[in-house]
Amino acid sequence: MTFFKAILIIIGNISLILAVIGIFIPGVPTTPFIILSAGVYIRISEKLYNALISNKYFGSYILKYQSNKGMTKSQKYFSIGFMWIMITLSYVFFISAFSLKIIILVLGIIGTVLMGFIIPNTNKNR
């Protein structure tokens, strides 16, 4: 295994861990991190990619994204808006540790950038 491939596997795994965290912690995005993991895995390991798309929890996210080749603008607006509502609520009411607040804000910014600028727009309304 090359050094570059090992780094990409680590990035894909970290992204997948963040996606799992996003299921349980309001405000942490799930879909962009799953899509990022799939994008990394498909380039470096067919085995990791197939395991991810066949997963009963995450596979549907990726397959929906692939069939539409992106997200509609309204889906993006809704997802980003809902994510930031949850981030704000978490930040103000549920998280007291300053370091956790910063982590949630940084992950929210990463999720916003991924959804807003990396995930392509599609005109399909499904």
Side-chain angles (χ1 to χ4, degrees), residues 34-53:
I34 293 171
I35 293 169
L36 177 62
S37 293
V40 170
Y41 289 164
I42 200 167
R43 286 170 178 74
I44 57 169
S45 171
E46 188 175 331
K47 181 179 177 182
L48 287 173
Y49 176 74
N50 288 333
L52 186 59
I53 63 168

Side-chain angles (χ1 to χ4, degrees), residues 3 8 13 23 32 43 52-53 57 72 81 86 91 115 118:
F3 178 74
L8 288 177
N13 290 342
I23 293 171
R43 286 170 178 74
L52 186 59
I53 63 168
Y57 300 110
T72 65
M86 297 309 294
Y91 189 92
M115 266 196 262
I118 306 299

Side-chain angles (χ1 to χ4, degrees), residues 38 42 49 53 61-70:
I42 200 167
Y49 176 74
I53 63 168
Y61 284 97
I62 299 160
L63 296 174
K64 284 179 189 175
Y65 173 77
Q66 287 176 335
S67 68
N68 292 335
K69 304 295 185 217

Side-chain angles (χ1 to χ4, degrees), residues 90-107:
S90 297
Y91 189 92
V92 173
F93 297 111
F94 302 114
I95 300 173
S96 57
F98 182 73
S99 58
L100 287 178
K101 288 182 176 189
I102 296 301
I103 290 170
I104 295 296
L105 287 175
V106 168
L107 291 175

